[in-house]
Amino acid sequence: MTEPQKRDRPWLMRTYAGHSTASDSNALYRRNLAKGQTGLSVAFDLPTQTGYDSDHILARGEVGRVGVPVGHVGDMRTLFDGIPLEQTNTSMTINATAMWLLALYQVVAEEQGADVSKLTGTTQNDIVKEYLSRGTHVFPPGPSVRLITDMIAYTVGNIPKWNPINICSYHLQEAGATPVQEIAYSMCTAISVLDAVRDSGQVPAERMGEVVARISFFVNAGVRFVEEMCKMRAFGRLWEKVTRERYGVTDPKQRRFRYGVQVNSLGLTEAQPENNVQRIVLEMLAVTLSKDARARAVQLPAWNEALGLPRPWDQQWSLRIQQVLAFESDLLEYGDLFNGSEVVETKTAELLAGAEAEIAKVMEMGGVIPAVESGYLKSNLVASHAARRARIESGEDKIIGVNCFDTTEENPLTADLDTAIMVVDPASEQSVLAALEAWRGGRDEASAQEALAQLKAVAATSDNLMPATLACARAGVTTGEWSFALREVFGEYRAPTGVGGAPVAVAAEPGGELEQVRAAVAATAEELGSGRLRLLVGKPGLDGHSNGAEQIAVRARDAGFEVVYQGIRLTPEQIVSAAVAEDVHCVGLSILSGAHTELVPDVLKRLRRAGVQDVPVIVGGIIPAADGEALKAAGVAAVFTPKDFGITTIIGRIVDEIRLANKLQPWTPAPTAATS
C-alpha cells in the first residue's frame, strides 16, 4: 500500500488582472492577495504593451481596457502602493516594452527600500511569439533580440532571482499550434535567445548555467488533458537534453524545466458559458496531476471571459478552484501518479519525436528568426488553426453547447448580461489622460530630454541598454517617449500575416455549404459587374489578436473573394483609405479588446464622409449584446461574436449584406439534379 508522503508546497496561485487605472488595479491586487492569492500577475493595457502613451491617436478607446495603463514611474508607484515588492512574486505580461516596465518596477522597489537582488518575479519578454500571435511587437527581430539579451545579462548580474524571459508557447496554441508545434517553436525561441546571450559576450561562459536557470516558460493547457500532460513531460525532457548538450549545463537544478501556465482561454465559449468551469478544471489538472511535470505557477481564466471582462467575484471563483485542489485534495501528498504508464510514455515519446523533427526543420532555415521573417512559422499556425476550425464546423471536434448538446435551460448566471461582466468606466480614460498631462508638466523636462538623448546614443552602440533605461525611468520619461526614442534608432516592424500561404482548409464539396457560398460570391460579382467581390478585413486600434481575422480572410479567399488584409494596428483613417482605394464591397472589422464602442463608429463616420454609402460594415469580436445592438443602430450591418463558430456561414452572411446594400434580390442556389 502506498503511504502518503509529506505534502508538497503548492504552486504559485495567480489571477491575471489589471484595468482602468493604476489606483483601481492596486485596490484589486490588494483584495486578491487578501483572498489567498500567492503571486501577482499584471495585465497591462495595449498602449503600454505596444509603447504608446495614453494620449496617442492609436491608444484612443484602448486605455485601461484589457489591463492597467502604466505611463511612467508615478503610475508604477501607485500600482504597487502598500505592496512590499521584496516580498512579492510578480509576473508581468509585457514584451516589446519589457525592459521599460522592469526598470520602472526596480525604481519603485528601490524607493520602497527593497534589496533589488531579492526581487522575484517574471517579465514575459518573448517577442518572437508576438510576431506569430499576440501582435504587441514594436521593433524588428534583431533589435528585439538585443533588448531581450541585454535584460537577461543585466538581471543575472543585478536581480539574480528574477526570470527575465518567459518563453511563451501559450499564445502559439491560441494561434492554432498543435502540441508538436507548440513544443518545437517555443524551444526554437529558447535556443535563439540562449545563443544570443552566449554570443553577446555579456555573460561569461562559466555563468551560462545561471542564465539557463532563470529561463522560464509560459504554456497553454487545453481540454485534452492527457495529451496536454504528456506535452509537458515531453517539454521537460527536451529542455533537459538541449541545456545539457547544447549549452553544457551540468547542474541538474539549473536544467530544471520551470513553467507557469494559464489554461486555455481560446476554448472558453460564449454559448452555455457555465460549461467553461469544468473546462478550466480539466485544463488545470493537465498541469498539476503529474508531479514530475507540474507547473510552478498557475493562473486560471474566469468562466465569463468569452462574454467580456471578468468581475472580481469571477476571478475569486477561479482562485478558489485552485485552492480546493491544493488544500482539500490529497494530490500534493504523493509522487508522480503516471510513472510507468504505457499510455503516457507512448504519447510523450510521440510528441517528443515530432517536436525534434520540426525543430530540425527550423534550424535548417537558420533558426527561429529567419523562420519568422520568411513567414514559414506564421503560415503553419494559420493553417493549423484553419484545420481546427474546420473540424469544429464539421462536428469532428465536439464543443459542448456549441456544435452539439446545444439545447439549454435559461442560465441564471447570464440572465442580466449587463451585470454578468465588468464594464470599464469610459471616464477612467479621461482621468488617465489628465494625469499624464499633469505628470509631463510637473517633471524636470531638461532631465527627461537628456535621459532620452542618452538612450538613443546607447541604442546606436552595442552597449547594454538597461542602465540608460533606468536613467529614463528616474527622470520621469513616459512609456511612449522611451519607445519612440528606440523606434528612431531601431525602426518598426510589421510581421507576415500568414494568410496568403495558408492552404485550403475546407473542401468545396458538391452540394456543400462552401460550394454554395462560392456560387453566391460568383453570382453577386457578376451582377455587380465587378470581376470579383472584394472584402477588406481590418484590425483597428492596438488589438493584435488576429487569429479570428486571419481565419475570416482565409475562408473568404477560399470562397472566391479578393481579400484585402494589411495586418494589425491600423487607424480608422487608414482602414477607410484602403477601403476607398481598393473599391471594396464590404468592410469587416475585428476587435477583441473592447474598443469597438470607440473605433467602429469612427470608421462608419469616415466612410460616410468619403461618400461611401453602399459598402456594409460588419464587426466581429467579444462584444456584449447591448453593444452589438448599439453598433447596429449606428449603421453596422452585422455583428459576430464567439458563438458564431461557422466561418463559412459568416462568409455567406457577408454576401447577403453586400446584396442587400446594393439592392439585389436575395440569392438562392440553383436547383441541383438531386433537387430538381
Side-chain angles (χ1 to χ4, degrees):
M1 182 176 176
T2 304
E3 291 295 325
Q5 62 178 25
K6 180 182 176 183
R7 286 182 68 88
D8 292 329
R9 186 172 64 181
W11 52 90
L12 275 171
M13 298 183 191
R14 294 182 168 127
T15 51
Y16 182 54
H19 66 86
S20 301
T21 67
S23 178
D24 290 337
S25 298
N26 172 261
L28 177 62
Y29 296 161
R30 292 168 87 165
R31 287 202 304 272
N32 285 348
L33 290 170
K35 292 172 184 173
Q37 187 173 300
T38 52
L40 292 177
S41 182
V42 181
F44 295 99
D45 74 353
L46 288 173
T48 305
Q49 292 187 50
T50 49
Y52 294 99
D53 283 332
S54 297
D55 56 1
H56 191 278
I57 182 63
L58 272 170
R60 188 163 60 88
E62 306 278 17
V63 177
R65 286 279 182 183
V66 300
V68 57
V70 174
H72 45 74
V73 71
D75 285 341
M76 188 67 88
R77 200 177 286 142
T78 301
L79 187 63
F80 291 106
D81 181 42
I83 300 174
L85 297 187
E86 189 176 309
Q87 302 166 32
T88 305
N89 190 298
T90 304
S91 171
M92 294 192 280
T93 301
I94 197 78
N95 294 284
T97 53
M99 178 179 284
W100 175 244
L101 271 298
L102 179 61
L104 296 179
Y105 189 86
Q106 177 180 328
V107 170
V108 170
E110 290 169 346
E111 292 175 353
Q112 290 185 355
D115 180 347
V116 171
S117 69
K118 294 181 180 178
L119 295 179
T120 59
T122 303
T123 32
Q124 194 168 101
N125 200 25
D126 176 359
I127 311 295
V128 174
K129 69 95 176 47
E130 296 300 319
Y131 300 134
L132 301 173
S133 51
R134 280 182 76 241
T136 67
H137 55 277
V138 175
F139 311 112
S144 294
V145 172
R146 175 191 171 179
L147 286 167
I148 295 170
T149 301
D150 285 358
M151 273 186 69
I152 292 173
Y154 176 82
T155 54
V156 166
N158 297 274
I159 318 178
K161 295 183 177 181
W162 192 266
N163 303 323
I165 186 170
N166 216 207
I167 306 293
C168 189
S169 74
Y170 176 87
H171 301 94
L172 299 182
Q173 186 181 117
E174 296 226 322
T178 64
V180 163
Q181 289 172 330
E182 191 180 339
I183 297 168
Y185 298 160
S186 54
M187 198 60 67
C188 286
T189 297
I191 290 169
S192 175
V193 167
L194 287 171
D195 282 359
V197 173
R198 179 194 63 196
D199 299 342
S200 73
Q202 295 192 65
V203 177
E206 64 271 16
R207 298 193 69 181
M208 276 301 292
E210 296 174 51
V211 174
V212 168
R214 298 322 309 174
I215 303 293
S216 63
F217 288 75
F218 183 64
V219 307
N220 206 328
V223 75
R224 292 172 55 84
F225 77 96
V226 175
E227 183 175 58
E228 293 293 326
M229 182 189 66
C230 294
K231 178 185 76 179
M232 299 321 306
R233 294 168 80 94
F235 243 136
R237 291 180 191 178
L238 186 55
W239 183 243
E240 164 82 13
K241 181 178 179 181
V242 167
T243 53
R244 185 181 67 251
E245 295 180 2
R246 190 177 183 94
Y247 303 105
V249 179
T250 56
D251 186 342
K253 289 184 178 179
Q254 293 179 330
R255 293 198 307 265
R256 185 179 300 151
F257 183 71
R258 300 158 59 250
Y259 79 97
V261 65
Q262 159 129 348
V263 306
N264 186 9
S265 293
L266 176 68
L268 302 183
T269 63
E270 180 183 3
Q272 298 182 25
E274 65 276 10
N275 294 335
N276 293 331
V277 176
Q278 48 265 37
R279 291 185 181 109
I280 289 167
V281 170
L282 284 170
E283 291 162 355
M284 176 180 64
L285 293 178
V287 294
T288 53
L289 282 182
S290 172
K291 180 179 179 178
D292 292 350
R294 184 171 294 152
R296 301 286 287 273
V298 177
Q299 59 191 47
L300 303 181
W303 69 276
N304 56 349
E305 285 194 19
L307 304 175
L309 189 65
R311 301 156 299 187
W313 182 85
D314 305 313
Q315 293 190 325
Q316 174 183 296
W317 190 356
S318 290
L319 176 62
R320 296 295 185 245
I321 290 171
Q322 293 198 60
Q323 290 170 329
V324 168
L325 179 64
F327 300 113
E328 290 190 27
S329 85
D330 59 351
L331 174 66
L332 297 179
E333 297 174 8
Y334 296 93
D336 196 285
L337 307 179
F338 300 97
N339 286 341
S341 165
E342 183 178 345
V343 170
V344 170
E345 281 302 312
T346 300
K347 188 63 179 177
T348 300
E350 173 193 318
L351 294 173
L352 185 58
E356 290 187 307
E358 187 61 24
I359 289 170
K361 287 183 189 176
V362 173
M363 299 311 288
E364 284 174 12
M365 297 177 188
V368 76
I369 298 302
V372 166
E373 293 173 326
S374 70
Y376 171 79
L377 296 186
K378 184 63 174 178
S379 291
N380 281 1
L381 294 179
V382 171
S384 294
H385 198 183
R388 175 184 177 274
R389 294 291 311 190
R391 292 195 303 272
I392 293 173
E393 290 179 76
S394 70
E396 180 183 348
D397 283 5
K398 292 184 169 26
I399 310 294
I400 307 304
V402 175
N403 64 0
C404 62
F405 306 114
D406 55 358
T407 57
T408 181
E409 300 295 331
E410 186 175 342
N411 185 343
L413 292 174
T414 58
D416 183 357
L417 277 174
D418 291 337
T419 61
I421 56 173
M422 182 176 152
V423 178
V424 173
D425 183 356
S428 68
E429 180 167 339
Q430 294 306 312
S431 72
V432 170
L433 299 185
L436 177 62
E437 184 178 0
W439 176 267
R440 291 198 193 105
R443 70 184 180 185
D444 183 333
E445 190 63 26
S447 295
Q449 295 306 320
E450 182 181 346
L452 286 167
Q454 181 60 23
L455 176 70
K456 287 188 278 190
V458 174
T461 71
S462 60
D463 293 348
N464 192 297
L465 278 162
M466 193 69 190
T469 295
L470 282 162
C472 284
R474 295 183 178 112
V477 165
T478 67
T479 298
E481 290 169 340
W482 178 86
S483 171
F484 273 86
L486 294 184
R487 279 174 162 99
E488 285 184 36
V489 181
F490 296 152
E492 291 192 61
Y493 186 72
R494 294 192 71 80
T497 67
V499 168
V504 174
V506 177
E509 297 175 351
E513 185 181 20
L514 183 57
E515 183 192 51
Q516 293 191 16
V517 172
R518 285 177 68 97
V521 169
T524 305
E526 184 177 353
E527 290 178 62
L528 293 174
S530 60
R532 293 176 69 189
L533 292 188
R534 290 176 293 280
L535 170 67
L536 172 67
V537 178
K539 289 285 296 176
L542 297 177
D543 169 33
H545 287 84
S546 58
N547 305 328
E550 289 156 3
Q551 294 307 310
I552 292 291
V554 168
R555 193 67 56 83
R557 176 205 68 186
D558 295 347
F561 274 90
E562 179 181 331
V563 178
V564 180
Y565 177 56
Q566 299 171 327
I568 61 172
R569 222 178 297 167
L570 300 173
T571 64
E573 183 179 17
Q574 289 171 319
I575 288 171
V576 171
S577 294
V580 172
E582 300 289 345
D583 192 22
V584 300
H585 297 94
C586 181
V587 173
L589 304 177
S590 170
I591 308 174
L592 278 78
S593 65
H596 50 267
T597 54
E598 288 269 350
L599 298 176
V600 174
D602 193 3
V603 171
L604 290 169
K605 289 175 187 173
R606 291 177 184 275
L607 281 169
R608 289 169 187 149
R609 282 194 215 123
V612 179
Q613 303 294 337
D614 58 352
V615 174
V617 174
I618 64 166
V619 181
I622 299 176
I623 300 172
D627 287 0
E629 291 305 313
L631 292 176
K632 289 177 186 176
V636 168
V639 174
F640 298 100
T641 66
K643 72 176 183 299
D644 301 298
F645 69 92
I647 300 180
T648 302
T649 302
I650 292 173
I651 304 303
R653 286 280 308 281
I654 292 172
V655 179
D656 292 342
E657 296 299 338
I658 292 172
R659 295 186 69 86
L660 183 63
N662 287 276
K663 299 180 172 57
L664 300 179
Q665 290 296 315
W667 183 83
T668 54
T672 64
T675 60
S676 59

